[in-house]
Amino acid sequence: MMAPVPSIDRELSAARIARDIDTLSGRDYTTSAEAIRRYAYTPEYRRTLDYVGAQLRSLGFDVSEDPVGTLIARNRPAGEPVFGVGSHCDSNRNGGRYDGTMGVVTALEVCRLDAEHRLGLPLQLISFLEEEGSGFGQMLLGSRIMLQRVSEQELRESFRSVDDGRSFWEHAEAAGYEPARWRESIHALDDLTGWIEMHIEQARVLQDTENRIGIVDAIAGYVHADVLVRGRGDHAGATPMDLRLDPTLVLAETALELERLATEAGQGTVGTIGEIDIDPGLINAIASSVRFSLDIRGPVNDAYRGVADAIGAFAVGAARRRGMTAEFRIRQTLAVTPLDGAIVAALEEAARATGEPFRRMHSGAAHDTMCVADRVPSAMVFVPCKEGISHHPDEEADPADAALAAEIIVRAIATLGDG
Ligand code: HGY
Ligand code: MN
Ligand code: MN
């Protein structure tokens, strides 16, 4: 039986969360002075895990890492049931202080509150490797590895470092990990009775509806893909317009068609071209090739998948019509993820008890919970972020909202633990 949850000093929690965020926003924890930029196997990321690990060890947690570097900390011996909390503390390459990191330090605060008030909650904190994909272009990589949603060939060969082109496998080994044991990482979930991830919303729904908490009951699915268009690199000044094979025109047509298709599909479907590589990328040379990414998502599988298929065919056709070739290649895809009704209900009950404004919602952003939910009853808690700005250094969120989320999560876990 869990101890009853006493009243919680949210100001103290907010101050600790703010201190953790401020610390992890320092130059020791980001490779960039302009944004928060930290990802797998960099010294800055290593120091981030060491900071979180030290905080957890001071609470008596046993801290370890899985064979590729996902951090796992628990306050019960292996084999005993525990409730999972956590998120990720790697960042987007143009990241803010709060995406992922606020979820990990709020999970840390849940662990502190449990210890401080001797609540007896059996807890396991997980901080997933490479949620953003900043190191190898593969979003949710650590949790997809854990859930065996990748192949060994991809880890050994296809997944390559954005910085130096070496394989994920090589980088993991060079960092002292054992990627050959990657299949064992799934055992981190063996004892989990449930999972709650706290995260900033990364849009404006909570702000615009004046809610402090979002209880997430589903997460949008997505398709990540790449299009490589091959044209002919010619002189920008000497080549007449009717003799050109300019791949940037296929990119332009595809961008407008993506907007049209996603808008027409409706049902919350969105499409984005975020990465563009132009070769050679010179002012006075017609590009010989263009590679661009596609990020297509939505809360309805058929809708966003339909857009992904249609835009892939469109790009290949647009190239052909102009005498060029284009390849459309899926990078990865995850389906819409419904979350667990019992945990959602416990979170709503705990939120209601605080008297603070909250609402149910779905997540447009992807999260590691999409993987954990495959094997463990899971849900998420959102807090607002200012103007919905995220994946940008101007990202802002309020530690007081995170403190409220921590209290709600503690109460929900205590309720769920009482069966
Ligand atoms: O892009 C996403 O959905 C997540 O923030 N990595
Ligand atoms: Mn995130
Ligand atoms: Mn993100």
Side-chain angles (χ1 to χ4, degrees), residues 193-273:
T193 57
W195 164 263
I196 295 173
E197 177 176 7
M198 181 275 197
H199 204 284
I200 59 171
E201 178 198 343
Q202 300 179 292
R204 306 170 40 133
V205 171
L206 291 176
Q207 172 189 277
D208 292 356
T209 58
E210 296 179 354
N211 281 293
R212 291 188 67 193
I213 293 288
I215 310 288
V216 181
D217 56 14
I219 305 174
Y222 65 85
V223 171
H224 273 186
D226 295 280
V227 177
L228 174 63
V229 188
R230 288 191 177 84
R232 192 179 59 215
D234 284 329
H235 193 287
T239 312
M241 292 309 285
D242 62 349
L243 295 183
R244 292 173 177 228
L245 298 176
D246 182 350
T248 64
L249 299 174
V250 176
L251 164 60
E253 283 186 88
T254 305
L256 291 172
E257 181 64 3
L258 177 59
E259 179 191 39
R260 189 190 69 77
L261 286 168
T263 307
E264 187 182 75
Q267 303 181 89
T269 307
V270 292
T272 310
I273 293 176

Side-chain angles (χ1 to χ4, degrees), residues 13 17 106 109-110 113 401-411:
S13 291
I17 289 167
T106 299
E109 182 61 18
V110 166
L113 292 171
D401 291 334
L404 173 61
E407 176 177 336
I408 288 167
I409 292 167
V410 164
R411 293 184 182 283

Side-chain angles (χ1 to χ4, degrees), residues 87-88 99-100 131-132 197 199 202 366-367 391:
S87 187
H88 66 93
D99 176 353
E131 189 276 350
E132 292 290 349
E197 177 176 7
H199 204 284
Q202 300 179 292
H367 298 285
H391 287 184

Side-chain angles (χ1 to χ4, degrees), residues 314-335:
F314 176 88
V316 170
R320 190 180 311 113
R321 283 192 295 279
R322 290 176 176 273
M324 291 180 264
T325 61
E327 277 172 54
F328 169 74
R329 194 172 296 167
I330 300 282
R331 201 186 293 189
Q332 60 150 311
T333 181
L334 285 184

Side-chain angles (χ1 to χ4, degrees), residues 234-384:
D234 284 329
H235 193 287
T239 312
M241 292 309 285
D242 62 349
L243 295 183
R244 292 173 177 228
L245 298 176
D246 182 350
T248 64
L249 299 174
V250 176
L251 164 60
E253 283 186 88
T254 305
L256 291 172
E257 181 64 3
L258 177 59
E259 179 191 39
R260 189 190 69 77
L261 286 168
T263 307
E264 187 182 75
Q267 303 181 89
T269 307
V270 292
T272 310
I273 293 176
E275 297 170 357
I276 299 174
D277 296 326
I278 293 186
D279 182 26
L282 300 172
I283 187 168
N284 57 0
I286 300 169
S288 53
S289 71
V290 170
R291 191 280 305 177
F292 56 94
S293 63
L294 293 168
D295 174 311
I296 301 163
R297 317 192 191 195
V300 177
N301 281 323
D302 290 350
Y304 72 84
R305 286 173 178 162
V307 169
D309 294 343
I311 199 65
F314 176 88
V316 170
R320 190 180 311 113
R321 283 192 295 279
R322 290 176 176 273
M324 291 180 264
T325 61
E327 277 172 54
F328 169 74
R329 194 172 296 167
I330 300 282
R331 201 186 293 189
Q332 60 150 311
T333 181
L334 285 184
V336 171
T337 306
L339 298 179
D340 181 78
I343 300 183
V344 166
L347 286 166
E348 283 187 313
E349 183 191 334
R352 199 168 292 114
T354 68
E356 295 294 333
F358 73 96
R359 59 169 287 160
R360 255 204 211 200
M361 61 194 296
H362 86 266
S363 171
H367 298 285
D368 292 309
T369 297
M370 296 173 84
C371 292
V372 178
D374 198 44
R375 288 178 66 113
V376 179
S378 300
M380 292 188 73
V381 177
F382 274 178
V383 294

